Amino acid sequence: MRRTRCWCLEGTGRARPRYAQLDFTTIDQRLGTLEELRALTEAAHELGMYVIVDVVMNHMANEFYFEGHEESSAPWRFHEGADGREYLHLGRWAGGACFRPSGARRPPPKTDPFGRQDASATYNGTLYGQYGEWVTDSGAGTYINSDFHHNGDLNDYFDPWQINYGKIYGVMDDLRLEHERVQQKYIAMTKALIESIDVDGFRVDTPMQVPLNFYKVWAPAMRAHAKSLGKESFGIFGEFYVTPARYATMTGRGRDNRMYGQDRYIDGIATLKGGIVYPYYWYIFTSMVYNDAQYADGLALAYREENKMIDTFDPMTQRKEYAMWNFCNNHDNWRLQSMTGRDHMRMCLAVVTFWPGVPLHYAGDEQDFDTPGSALDGWAREELSASMAWRAVPTQAGGNPADRDNFDMTSESYRYIARLNGLREAYFGSFGLEACDEVKTPEPQIADVLVFERGCTPETRVLVMANFHQSSMKNLTVSSPWSSGTTLKDALLEEGQTVLVDSLGEVTVSLRPLEAVVLVPAPVITLAPVILSVSPQHGSVVEWPTGHSFKVALRVKFDRPMKPSILDFLRLNGQVTAGRREGFRCLNPVACDEVILEMEASTAQEGFYTIEVDRGAVALDGQTLRAAFRSHFLLDRSRGAIAQAYPAMAGLICQNRTRLCHRATGAQWLRIQNVGGTWTSWRAFENESTWAAQPNVPVLVQYHAAFSASFVVGDCASEQGEKPCWASWHRTMFLRGEWNGWGNDDDGAMEKIGHFTWATKVALTKFTKSKFAPVLGSWETSYGLHPERELLYNLPSFDPRSSSFAVDPYLSGSEASRAWMLQRSRWTQHQGIASGATFAKEVWLSHLCGSAWKGGRALHGPAPAAVAGRRRYGGHSHLCSCALAEAQERQPSLRKGPEFVTI
């Protein structure tokens, strides 16, 4: 797939890695070095890609707390009011979590290091609210010399003061960006970032929570610095999870609610170029998720009204450029396909591809990821590399697509998005032509259908029609920009339907439910060749036996005949095979649309095999392969740790507990831990490791293979004659709750009854709260439910329907995702998932239990019955536990940090 954007994350952090920085002057060493990041940008530039770095300026890590609220939410305070003066900041980490750039520790501050409150000080920021309204500060009294705000937690997103100065989620220290001192520090950091790694733009996190006067200083400084380095343009894009009226104030020169539709601006200084916007998503979401197709007309309405509000002038290119980013999915919301289906997703992708602005594709959509929930509850941020953590969440009959390697360039959705991107470039060309941003729609709108015409030139216009109705056909007759008799083709499909323009210049089309067509004059512009399939399939495991000679065929199939020179572009394990005895050859030398390499399988060495096709290969029609192709498979005759699905591996501990015998074909690196201890450093893979395993103490080994460190296996060895020893992530586990005084009356110790499975007997007489904790007497790590939170969603205020619009909002949180799994029979009533997030709430235990089943087998104990399920009661979820509470550990999500536990 040819991409035009490449995402990177910048910064360091603890609470939410990379979005909770401790030091803006360093990069996260877990992701690599500065030199490696520079090498990445250089390689991307060679491929014709831009590199945009995600920057966070609104907040830093949770190093301070507001006096009196170390573990609780701090109510909002502004100046000196009825509720008291603004809060004093106190250092949070007793162990000294802050670091100097040299790495030397410093003690945590007992108070805010920037002094006392100034009773006469006011806020000098330029602030706007969600309705584009301007507010000024008429009070006094604040910690003006502090680099942070002291106002308490952000709770009311429609209060202009709170959204600019409040502590987001109560866990991110909010920077005083309206102050020149803080502005200059941030300008210095981001200038250094541009220069040191040669980036092409910034994606600004939470821009709506930053005072406008910061952008009026910072954005011009960034563009000027980029220009001094020879960059003709530099993009600054915001994450506009906010109303159009609010983001209009920080787009271009900015307009507030008094200036719409006029040649008036807040001032002459341009700020952000554009950003990720929600109005179009909200209309698509309402039409598809709430199955109300009438809202398809909202896209045209939003585009018309938005363009009255925003300023699209770019001071670097000296022209108007509509630069809003539209999407079907992003990390803050549920994936559209998880709430609807594949047909809905395909139609949405077609619409946003041909709509003005920049289409934004969320990682994993090209591989059909469909995990429920949002990233706010730790879901919907699946890895593309193999991630065993998702095996606890089988969203499909065959499991969860996210648990395997998903760098699959032959997947059908990958090829569909690649075709959409190719068509967009072929018909709209380079970004930034004002004529390309003109959209024509029927007046009045056609019910339940989106129809729009767009094009940069008369020769490259397109007519898009999308039926948002989910059960009814739509027969449409609409005017077209083409003359009578012109033959049109649907460009979305290789063999799309043909339509003839009639004598009135109109076209008639029948659309199936959720069908989109993109009509263009025939023939459709020829796109670059693509690879349809590879064998063995990407990410697959093969077990070719030894003992007798036999051949296997490696195959690559193209979508059209390639020139014979294609053989010079094919590589196996990094080596061109042309001219070798075992090399690729064309099945049909005249029309080479498939190549094959036959190899002796019985003597093939175990490990990963990589098949590559270099970009630049030419098809018989003259088109060249635009992107290099890469696929791999694993030959593992013993089904070791990289190939198998279960993390317990008998025999890992070997030779009387003095060594570890690894079965992990394909692994490149490993590290080891006795459970309860610390991990070793990463080391190169070895077949055996010298290791002193302790009796009855599990050993874990983490392997790195195929771009993933997700492969973790465990083993446990007991003394001869003792009861079995089981592998686990934790050395101990305790169930603590109201029923045992939260561990004060009874420690609630749990017992392992299988690999990664803990159990305990409890007797209850009423519903009660509880949490799992792996360390006696400590809550530093514990497991509970991720709390529910309504996701921000509404129609724009310029839509007359917004005043009466009311739907049940979608929620983030463990229980919302669990309900999804139950509705689709992917979990039983006795399954759920818990989170290790620090703000996870308690699990409810139920006393209303008879007998129950877990995974198809009964769990029995001395008490009448044993269950590990939940029931709904009073809007809460309950772990049904008269006799036995079971916690089945699942692999930690190694990228995000918090562990998940299936209960």
Side-chain angles (χ1 to χ4, degrees), residues 319-337:
R319 64 187 183 192
K320 292 184 176 181
E321 299 177 353
Y322 181 83
M324 297 306 181
W325 297 16
N326 292 300
F327 58 91
C328 300
N329 285 317
N330 76 1
H331 62 288
D332 283 327
N333 299 86
W334 288 49
R335 289 188 186 270
L336 181 65
Q337 59 270 37

Side-chain angles (χ1 to χ4, degrees), residues 585-760:
R585 59 181 176 83
C586 296
L587 277 182
N588 182 348
V590 177
C592 187
D593 63 349
E594 185 172 8
V595 296
I596 184 172
L597 182 150
E598 295 179 308
M599 61 184 295
E600 176 57 48
S602 62
T603 58
Q605 293 185 348
E606 292 185 302
F608 278 101
Y609 284 75
T610 302
I611 299 172
E612 296 173 282
V613 185
D614 292 340
R615 68 189 185 112
V618 183
L620 286 182
D621 61 12
Q623 297 294 317
T624 60
L625 196 68
R626 296 287 299 277
F629 173 86
R630 188 181 190 277
S631 180
H632 67 251
F633 65 92
L634 175 63
L635 170 57
D636 184 1
R637 300 184 176 95
S638 62
R639 298 293 294 187
I642 310 304
Q644 73 170 0
Y646 191 63
M649 177 171 285
L652 175 65
I653 300 174
C654 60
Q655 297 188 26
N656 197 29
R657 298 195 301 270
T658 63
R659 300 184 71 82
L660 300 180
C661 296
H662 303 285
R663 287 191 298 113
T665 298
Q668 297 173 294
W669 303 88
L670 63 82
R671 63 176 184 165
I672 308 168
Q673 178 198 64
N674 282 335
V675 171
T678 58
W679 287 101
T680 66
S681 299
W682 286 97
R683 66 180 76 168
F685 177 77
E686 54 201 5
N687 291 322
E688 291 189 11
S689 301
T690 300
W691 189 257
Q694 303 170 18
N696 301 310
V697 176
V699 174
L700 298 178
V701 180
Q702 182 179 6
Y703 302 105
H704 187 283
F707 311 109
S708 174
S710 175
F711 307 100
V712 184
V713 297
D715 192 16
C716 190
S718 58
E719 293 284 8
Q720 190 172 10
E722 292 186 356
K723 62 182 181 180
C725 177
W726 308 106
S728 60
W729 302 111
H730 297 289
R731 195 163 184 172
T732 55
M733 184 66 68
F734 302 89
L735 181 63
R736 300 157 64 184
E738 294 173 326
W739 60 278
N740 65 354
W742 295 101
N744 294 322
D745 302 334
D746 173 357
D747 63 17
M750 304 184 76
E751 180 182 357
K752 278 186 284 186
I753 61 172
H755 290 302
F756 306 100
T757 304
W758 298 85
T760 189

Side-chain angles (χ1 to χ4, degrees), residues 291 293 344 467-474 511-514:
N291 195 13
H344 304 73
N467 179 11
F468 279 76
H469 205 283
Q470 300 185 32
S471 59
S472 297
M473 291 275 297
K474 296 293 180 180
L511 293 177
R512 298 186 304 275
L514 297 174

Side-chain angles (χ1 to χ4, degrees), residues 157 169 241 332 376 786-792 810-813:
Y157 285 78
Y169 305 132
Y241 199 4
D332 283 327
L376 296 176
H786 203 291
E788 291 183 346
R789 179 174 180 268
E790 288 188 8
L791 298 179
L792 177 63
Y810 262 73
L811 304 174
S812 64

Side-chain angles (χ1 to χ4, degrees), residues 307-322:
N307 274 278
K308 297 176 184 177
M309 303 165 72
I310 64 172
D311 174 34
T312 61
F313 182 75
D314 187 317
M316 292 191 77
T317 61
Q318 290 292 301
R319 64 187 183 192
K320 292 184 176 181
E321 299 177 353
Y322 181 83

